Amino acid sequence: GPSSPPPPSTSPSRTVWDASELFCGGGCRAAYFARRSTAALRRQLSDADEAVCAGCGVDCRALVRGLQAAPPGAPREALLRALAPRLADGRRGAKLLAQPTEGVCWHADHIVGVAQGGGECGVENMQVMCWACHAEKTAAEAGARAAKRRRPE
């Protein structure tokens, strides 16, 4: 009679791969996931840069831990103003006070901007920037692009 198809786990279209067979090593695996997952990229970047802002040097990890340990309200705000006054104001400052996490405190910034071709990258083109430094850098880059568009070539 006719032969039966192979079980699903060995069918060529349904091969189940062991993770060790997908990557040549840990570095390749990390690079792959950094490009596929923003959470993985942030973890790698935080580990590499120790969550220290490349712009102003604030230790975002230590700041967040201090804010988490401080009682909400005036004591937490006083601590933020003492340690990183630039991060205390505005809507983002209020969010950091209400939700003191690294994800709120710092951003993963492209060293070579996306508009300059740095969008498809791994951790090697990224740096930790507190939200205030990242906002300033982004605004400066946007202003430079706008000025370039206004200049006749």
Side-chain angles (χ1 to χ4, degrees):
S3 65
S4 59
S9 63
T10 59
S11 169
S13 64
R14 295 181 184 226
T15 302
V16 177
W17 294 96
D18 179 83
S20 66
E21 298 172 307
L22 297 175
F23 304 101
C24 63
C28 287
R29 184 179 189 284
Y32 171 80
F33 283 106
R35 286 182 170 84
R36 303 277 302 163
S37 162
T38 55
L41 176 73
R42 284 183 61 87
R43 260 190 316 278
Q44 290 176 32
L45 184 57
S46 176
D47 291 345
D49 289 355
E50 298 181 354
V52 173
C53 177
C56 67
V58 69
D59 183 336
C60 294
R61 182 173 292 143
L63 176 63
V64 165
R65 286 181 181 152
L67 293 174
Q68 289 171 339
R76 187 178 284 174
E77 185 175 352
L79 180 64
L80 181 57
R81 290 196 181 282
L83 298 177
R86 296 182 49 204
L87 302 182
D89 294 323
R91 191 179 74 235
R92 288 185 176 145
K95 185 172 182 178
L96 181 58
L97 289 168
Q99 183 184 352
T101 63
E102 286 190 38
V104 175
C105 188
W106 65 267
H107 296 172
D109 174 65
H110 291 85
I111 296 167
V112 175
V114 173
Q116 287 76 41
E120 290 294 321
C121 67
V123 74
E124 71 280 352
N125 184 45
M126 304 298 288
Q127 62 186 353
V128 168
M129 291 195 98
C130 72
W131 70 258
C133 288
H134 189 248
E136 286 176 6
K137 181 181 179 214
T138 300
E141 289 172 344
R145 285 192 307 275
K148 186 176 179 182
R149 284 191 303 269
R150 287 191 297 268
R151 276 186 248 128
E153 303 242 355

